[in-house]
């Protein structure tokens, strides 16, 4: 509703001196969440925030930085002030988190989200040097200290659950690599990387609860920490899932995700023939609850597609392409949405594909040309 937004902006400008830090942070966050670019209005909010920065909580600092990153606002003085004040607040925030005995886990989640959210903002904006580098270095140490403290306060872990009954032909996940504080689990198709609730699907958390050794189950029974899963894969997909098995390992992986130190690349079979060897898709994605779509008012999303082979289906004659897709963000259904936007929707996808869901046997697909990713 454009008239309503304009009226809110006008009234806010008239009363901006009466705004407290929460009002300022919430307003700029709301504009970013709706992907509204109003430079004069946002500039006024940024100016006022710079004058009041010492009154901000860590969450208000994080929300303001997130808004700048989401709207691609490189207001360097403001962003450096946010980093400097956040750095000076790290120790007190960490001690306050340790002191929340009755709700320590909830306070820890908020600390990770705020501290990591600030790091994500600076990484997205490619800012470095001075206050930003100092903040990033100390924030990483604080996150790891928090993880070790949580491990030290964690009690005994539940016994492993019994294996659920499954049909013989159903493939089970596998622990591909077990490391100190973390692991890689290979998720087959049909398993949900769940975070909470019961969807009725086969849940990866149930496998982790019975597959991990007793000393590595700190998070496997904790839906409030997503059972330790660091990222997601859609249920029809298969691939490796990074998982924290201790709080220290979880915090270490979370920090690497916030700062884009982890590369995520997947192989997808798509319809049609790739139009170029490489394709960068930098299109915002709007989460529509059960689905998602490319939209100007969505959240920032970026994928890199490399078309590595052309193929065809022996039975139908359909042209296909094998795509290596690297994602730099983790929006809902990002791979499938960006594949659809690139006019090569993923095969066996009833939601974003060309038609109803189909299954293709590997021996029914024949490669006609292998592409070089260096091809011009």
């Amino acid at each position: 509703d454009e008239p309503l937004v304009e009226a809110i902006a006008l009234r806010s400008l008239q009363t901006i001196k009466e705004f407290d830090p929460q009002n300022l942070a919430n307003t700029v966050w709301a504009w970013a969440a709706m992907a509204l670019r109003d430079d004069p209005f946002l500039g006024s909010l940024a100016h006022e925030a710079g004058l009041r920065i010492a009154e901000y909580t860590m969450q208000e600092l994080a929300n303001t930085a997130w808004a700048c990153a989401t709207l691609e606002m490189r207001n360097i003085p403001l962003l450096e002030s946010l980093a400097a004040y956040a750095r000076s607040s790290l120790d007190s925030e960490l001690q306050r988190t340790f002191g929340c005995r009755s709700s320590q886990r909830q306070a820890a989640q908020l600390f990770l989200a705020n501290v990591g959210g600030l790091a994500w903002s600076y990484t997205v904006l490619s800012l470095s040097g001075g206050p930003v580098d100092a903040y990033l270095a100390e924030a990483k140490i604080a996150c790891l200290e928090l993880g070790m403290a949580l491990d030290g306060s964690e009690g005994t872990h539940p016994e492993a659950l019994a294996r659920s009954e499954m049909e013989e032909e159903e493939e089970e996940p596998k622990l591909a690599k077990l490391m100190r504080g973390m692991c890689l689990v290979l998720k087959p198709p049909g398993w949900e990387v769940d975070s909470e609730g019961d969807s009725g699907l086969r849940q990866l958390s149930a496998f982790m609860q019975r597959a991990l050794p007793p000393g590595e189950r700190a998070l496997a029974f904790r839906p409030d920490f997503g059972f330790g899963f660091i990222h997601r894969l859609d249920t029809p997909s298969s691939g490796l899932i990074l998982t924290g098995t201790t709080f220290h390992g979880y915090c270490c992986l979370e920090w690497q995700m916030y700062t884009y130190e982890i590369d995520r690349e997947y192989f997808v079979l798509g319809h049609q023939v790739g139009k170029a060897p490489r394709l960068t898709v930098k299109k915002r994605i709007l989460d529509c609850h059960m689905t998602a779509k490319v939209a100007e008012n969505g959240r920032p999303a970026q994928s890199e597609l490399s078309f590595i082979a052309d193929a065809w289906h022996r039975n139908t004659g359909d042209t296909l392409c094998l795509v290596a897709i690297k994602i730099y963000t983790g929006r809902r259904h990002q791979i499938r949405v960006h594949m659809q936007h690139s006019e090569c929707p993923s095969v066996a996808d009833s939601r974003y594909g060309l038609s109803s869901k189909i299954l293709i046997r590997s021996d029914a697909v024949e490669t006609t040309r292998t592409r070089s990713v260096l091809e011009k």
Side-chain angles (χ1 to χ4, degrees), residues 43-255:
S44 296
L45 289 172
H47 174 74
E48 196 65 27
L51 299 176
R52 310 278 295 280
I53 207 75
E55 303 172 39
Y56 274 46
T57 65
M58 189 66 82
Q59 185 171 5
E60 289 156 1
L61 295 171
N63 285 349
T64 303
W66 178 88
C68 289
T70 300
L71 293 175
E72 300 178 344
M73 292 170 49
R74 295 178 62 86
N75 187 321
I76 305 301
L78 174 61
L79 289 163
E80 289 189 342
S81 294
L82 292 171
Y85 188 69
R87 178 193 175 199
S88 69
S89 305
L90 278 172
D91 187 62
S92 60
E93 285 289 319
L94 193 59
Q95 295 308 315
R96 188 179 64 82
T97 300
F98 291 152
C100 295
R101 297 298 179 188
S102 60
S103 58
Q104 190 179 62
R105 300 295 180 270
Q106 185 178 357
Q109 286 177 300
L110 185 61
F111 180 88
L112 285 173
N114 292 334
V115 172
L118 275 158
W120 175 87
S121 301
Y122 294 122
T123 304
V124 167
L125 291 169
S126 300
L127 291 185
S128 61
V132 174
D133 284 350
Y135 167 75
L136 292 174
E138 294 189 24
K140 179 179 180 179
I141 294 171
C143 286
L144 298 181
E145 287 181 357
L146 176 62
M148 287 187 287
L150 291 174
D151 283 327
S153 64
E154 187 73 4
T156 58
H157 309 310
E159 293 297 319
L161 300 181
R163 183 181 185 277
S164 58
E165 293 296 324
M166 295 195 308
E167 297 180 12
E168 289 185 5
E169 65 270 17
E170 291 179 340
E171 185 180 359
E172 267 215 312
K174 297 180 178 64
L175 282 178
K177 184 75 172 178
L178 185 60
M179 299 161 282
R180 184 178 179 181
M182 59 189 73
C183 71
L184 279 170
V185 58
L186 180 59
K187 183 194 91 69
W191 286 75
E192 179 187 33
V193 186
D194 53 311
S195 56
E196 58 185 17
D198 186 1
S199 64
L201 299 171
R202 295 192 296 279
Q203 297 184 329
L204 197 60
S205 62
F207 168 78
M208 301 300 291
Q209 289 162 4
R210 65 174 183 271
L212 288 172
E216 300 288 337
R217 297 188 195 134
L219 287 102
F221 289 85
R222 300 203 68 97
D224 50 344
F225 281 85
F227 300 108
F229 300 132
I230 302 300
H231 60 107
R232 302 287 183 269
L233 273 179
D234 293 340
T235 300
S237 307
S238 63
L240 293 170
I241 302 293
L242 271 171
T243 307
T245 58
T246 66
F247 285 102
H248 180 263
Y250 177 83
C251 290
C252 180
L253 291 173
E254 278 282 276
W255 179 263

Side-chain angles (χ1 to χ4, degrees), residues 295-316:
E296 288 299 320
N297 61 333
R299 300 287 175 84
Q302 181 175 342
S303 305
E304 300 282 344
L305 282 68
S306 296
F307 294 89
I308 56 179
D310 299 331
W312 64 285
H313 193 287
R314 287 196 182 98
N315 298 333
T316 66

